[in-house]
């Protein structure tokens, strides 16, 4: 079955839906459902220093139907999203659209607000945990839209997704209103996603753990974009940053996949001065970082940059001077956070600079290599990173489709099976990244090259690197699987956009 036919079938399901998504047949309708009247960012007046989130609701016109933006730099340690929505409910505000760059298990307390109608729409790049399960169960009355990191930045900066109020949990702010995640006791790294929110929201509210009497030196959110500051103890817990997919795997399979990955990069002729790379979230991609670092050292090469979500392993490569600098949109661990506060080669970037398709020359378009993970890969090299074999929503596009589209060489790493389910399948349960943007899949059993990339096939053959047709890997994956993938048959519960805002796929609920 071709990708186009598959989408057509799923859209037909959406069109016959009798629930809240009834009548949805295309992206324009989705946008119309989410858009509200909102002008360009204008600071309302003098900076307000407020005492609490309650006072924010008293001083600003946060009405029912508003769109509120949140970031995920504290990941599963975030304490702002829950607190703000709790306060909205207390003030009788409902019908909110939550534009959160990611949602984690720590946000389980949002489920009652979904059931009561305080939250009616969600736009996000990643979602896992009880909120994701509530969406799959059909508890949300409105729409869920999954966007990529670049797609979110594009939608906000273009006005397609107007933000009424951006709430930013910051480790430190100063008396001018400038805020940062790279200073203070609760540093969490650059606030790359909030940079876009604050630049375009109708009003921006900073919730800061510390208020500095001196001007902060590493500004992520400039004072000109801030309307109010609330001294707020512990807007996030740094211990929650290293969570789930941001922890590299340490296993013989991960080591094997890492070695195969550098073999492919070398065979493709990309290990040379000026080399740049990114590794996405996921245990296998992150496990390749030390292998790439060792090869750079052995070859005595100096790469240009490493980008994306940053770990201590990336920082170590930069400290060994094997790349000139780091471009960081979010930190994945405390070693990266510490580096972001001190190392001059460690540079922040906004989500727009990172991956927006309408930003001039975004970083993803300058990548030599992108190493990604997958929950499923299919015969057409389409990638699923949103749903699992059990039918649950377990993630989201994140930067996956952005970097896959921009990099010269896109590598996807995975085992043949996981949790009892085949990870290489005839057809993925949900497309997050189209197969046309994927060059090669590296597994613990073999390497499959996309037949649409004949030059890479030739390069690997010339290097003596053995490859396997993906159909053979799919057959082997079937043999390893002990469970059959759950096929949800409920109503459409989520829409998946590509990075340009077009409808890419839909997800069915229970």
């Amino acid at each position: 079955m071709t990708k186009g036919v598959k989408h057509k079938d799923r859209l037909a399901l959406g069109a016959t839906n009798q629930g809240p998504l009834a009548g949805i047949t295309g992206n324009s309708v989705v946008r119309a459902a989410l858009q509200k009247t909102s002008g360009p960012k204008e600071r309302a007046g003098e900076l307000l220093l407020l005492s609490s989130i309650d006072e924010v609701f008293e001083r600003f016109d946060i009405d029912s139907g508003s769109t509120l933006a949140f970031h995920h730099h504290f990941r599963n340690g975030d304490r702002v999203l829950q607190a703000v929505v709790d306060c909205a409910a207390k003030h009788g505000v409902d019908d909110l659209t939550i534009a959160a760059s990611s949602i984690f298990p720590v946000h389980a307390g949002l489920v009652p607000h979904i059931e009561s109608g305080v939250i009616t729409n969600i736009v996000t790049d990643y979602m896992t945990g009880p909120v994701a399960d509530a969406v799959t169960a059909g508890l949300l009355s409105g729409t869920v839209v999954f966007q990529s990191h670049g797609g979110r930045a594009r939608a906000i900066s273009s006005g397609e997704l107007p933000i009424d109020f951006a709430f930013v949990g910051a480790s430190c702010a100063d008396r001018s209103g400038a805020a940062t995640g790279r200073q203070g006791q609760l540093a969490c790294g650059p606030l790359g996603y909030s940079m876009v929110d604050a630049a375009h929201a109708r009003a921006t509210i900073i919730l800061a753990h510390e208020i500095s009497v001196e001007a902060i030196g590493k500004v992520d959110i400039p004072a000109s974009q801030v309307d109010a500051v609330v001294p707020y103890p512990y807007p996030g817990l740094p211990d929650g940053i290293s969570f789930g997919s941001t922890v590299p795997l340490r296993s013989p399979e991960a080591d094997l996949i890492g070695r195969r990955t550098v073999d492919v990069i070398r065979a493709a002729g990309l290990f040379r001065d000026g080399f740049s790379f990114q590794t996405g979230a996921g245990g296998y991609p992150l496990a390749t970082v030390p292998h790439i670092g060792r090869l750079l050292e052995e070859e005595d090469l100096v790469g240009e940059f490493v980008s994306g979500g940053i770990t201590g392993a990336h920082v170590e490569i930069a400290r060994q001077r094997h790349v000139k600098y780091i471009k960081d949109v979010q930190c994945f661990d405390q070693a990266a956070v510490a580096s972001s506060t001190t190392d001059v080669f460690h540079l922040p970037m906004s989500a727009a600079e990172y991956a927006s398709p309408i930003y001039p020359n975004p970083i993803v378009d300058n990548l030599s290599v992108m190493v990604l993970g997958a929950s499923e890969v299919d015969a057409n090299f389409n990638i699923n990173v949103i749903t699992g074999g059990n039918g649950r929503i377990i993630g989201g596009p994140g930067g996956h489709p952005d970097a896959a589209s921009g990099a010269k060489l896109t590598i996807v790493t995975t085992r043949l099976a996981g949790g009892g389910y085949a990870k290489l399948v005839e057809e993925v349960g949900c497309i997050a990244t189209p197969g046309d943007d994927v060059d090669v899949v590296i597994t613990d059993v073999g390497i499959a090259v996309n037949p649409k990339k004949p030059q890479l096939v030739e390069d690997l053959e010339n290097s003596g690197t053995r490859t396997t047709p993906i159909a053979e890997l799919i057959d082997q994956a079937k043999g390893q699987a002990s469970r059959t993938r759950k096929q949800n048959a409920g109503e459409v519960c989520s829409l998946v956009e590509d990075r340009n805002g077009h409808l890419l796929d839909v997800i069915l609920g229970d």
Side-chain angles (χ1 to χ4, degrees):
M1 179 178 290
T2 66
K3 185 176 72 175
V5 171
K6 175 182 172 183
H7 291 168
K8 183 178 178 181
D9 288 349
R10 289 184 172 171
L11 287 174
L13 286 170
T16 57
N17 191 310
Q18 298 303 308
L21 299 180
I24 289 179
T25 58
N27 198 43
S28 61
V29 180
V30 178
R31 291 177 183 168
L34 292 175
Q35 285 187 340
K36 302 176 179 67
T37 302
S38 179
K41 168 72 173 175
E42 291 181 3
R43 187 159 156 171
E46 291 187 4
L47 178 73
L48 298 174
L49 183 62
L50 305 180
S51 62
S52 65
I53 299 175
D54 274 314
E55 192 175 1
V56 172
F57 275 80
E58 292 164 1
R59 299 290 290 270
F60 288 87
D61 57 341
I62 306 177
D63 299 323
S64 295
S66 295
T67 296
L68 311 183
F70 302 89
H71 67 87
H72 70 283
H73 295 90
F74 286 105
R75 297 180 66 83
N76 203 45
D78 174 66
R79 295 182 66 248
V80 170
L81 171 52
Q82 185 71 56
V84 171
V85 177
D86 286 346
C87 197
K90 187 169 74 173
H91 285 259
V93 176
D94 59 11
D95 189 24
L96 294 174
T97 293
I98 300 301
S101 52
S102 290
I103 296 173
F104 291 95
V106 72
H107 301 121
L110 297 181
V111 174
H113 296 311
I114 290 173
E115 294 175 310
S116 68
V118 174
I119 299 173
T120 52
N121 297 298
I122 296 173
V123 185
T124 189
D125 308 349
Y126 181 98
M127 182 163 57
T128 187
V131 173
D133 291 341
V135 168
T136 306
L139 300 183
L140 189 77
S141 63
T143 306
V144 171
V145 177
F146 279 101
Q147 299 175 321
S148 70
H149 288 331
R152 180 179 190 272
R154 175 199 55 75
I156 292 173
S157 61
S158 69
E160 181 181 297
L161 175 58
I163 302 300
D164 293 312
F165 300 93
F167 289 87
V168 181
S171 56
C172 189
D174 64 28
R175 291 182 174 180
S176 75
T180 185
R182 295 177 288 148
Q183 181 175 323
Q185 179 189 359
L186 297 187
C188 61
L191 303 175
Y193 300 100
S194 292
M195 291 177 190
V196 179
D197 299 354
H200 298 281
R202 188 153 60 88
T204 299
I205 295 95
I206 303 292
L207 284 76
H209 182 70
E210 299 173 29
I211 307 295
S212 172
V213 295
E214 306 288 341
I216 57 176
K218 293 178 178 290
V219 175
D220 290 331
I221 310 296
S224 61
Q225 296 175 356
V226 177
D227 300 89
V229 174
V230 181
Y232 191 81
Y234 297 97
L237 304 176
D239 288 348
I241 293 174
S242 294
F243 173 79
S245 62
T246 60
V247 180
L249 281 172
R250 304 187 193 286
S251 67
E253 293 82 6
D255 184 63
L256 174 60
I257 289 172
R259 286 186 278 114
R260 285 177 167 166
T261 298
V262 295
D263 288 344
V264 169
I265 298 171
R266 181 157 45 189
L270 293 172
F271 265 128
R272 55 178 182 257
D273 284 344
F275 174 77
S276 59
F277 77 102
Q278 181 178 331
T279 52
Y284 292 110
L286 294 175
T288 66
V289 178
H291 292 278
I292 294 173
R294 278 194 289 274
L295 187 59
L296 288 168
E297 184 172 3
E298 289 170 9
E299 301 287 338
D300 194 24
L301 293 176
V302 179
E304 188 68 16
F305 69 88
V306 58
S307 66
I310 300 300
T311 69
H314 296 103
V315 170
E316 191 58 31
I317 290 174
R319 286 182 174 157
Q320 297 302 317
R321 301 180 186 275
H322 292 307
V323 293
K324 295 177 182 175
Y325 58 94
I326 292 172
K327 291 292 283 185
D328 187 349
V329 69
Q330 66 169 319
C331 289
F332 280 173
D333 62 24
Q334 289 301 313
V337 171
S339 169
S340 77
T341 68
T342 57
D343 289 324
V344 294
F345 57 74
H346 196 142
L347 307 174
M349 64 176 169
S350 73
E353 181 186 3
Y354 164 43
S356 171
I358 61 172
Y359 190 89
N361 196 26
I363 287 294
V364 293
D365 287 356
N366 295 283
L367 286 169
S368 304
V369 174
M370 180 69 202
V371 184
L372 295 159
S375 59
E376 289 181 327
V377 181
D378 74 15
N380 292 314
F381 289 78
N382 296 312
I383 307 299
N384 176 15
V385 287
I386 304 177
T387 59
N390 57 8
R392 296 174 65 189
I393 294 172
I394 58 170
H400 203 289
D402 303 306
S405 174
K408 291 183 177 67
L409 175 64
T410 298
I411 298 171
V412 171
T413 56
T414 183
R415 291 188 64 182
L416 286 191
Y421 299 100
K423 292 169 73 71
L424 270 71
V425 295
E426 295 290 345
E427 183 183 1
V428 294
C430 175
I431 296 176
T433 296
D436 285 350
D437 290 333
V438 176
D439 297 297
V440 57
V441 175
I442 300 177
T443 76
D444 51 324
V445 172
I447 300 169
V449 180
N450 190 333
K452 295 181 179 178
K453 317 291 178 177
Q455 183 59 54
L456 183 59
V457 174
E458 183 178 334
D459 290 340
L460 293 186
E461 288 178 351
N462 292 339
S463 72
T465 302
R466 183 175 180 272
T467 62
T468 304
I470 196 164
E472 290 187 20
L473 295 180
I474 291 171
D475 286 342
Q476 293 186 55
K478 288 177 184 174
Q480 290 189 13
S482 58
R483 296 177 173 179
T484 301
R485 184 175 71 197
K486 180 184 176 186
Q487 301 285 351
N488 290 350
E491 298 177 345
V492 173
C493 71
S494 302
L495 310 174
V496 182
E497 284 188 352
D498 70 13
R499 60 196 302 256
N500 295 302
H502 304 125
L503 187 60
L504 180 63
D505 210 336
V506 299
I507 300 171
L508 302 182
D510 291 331

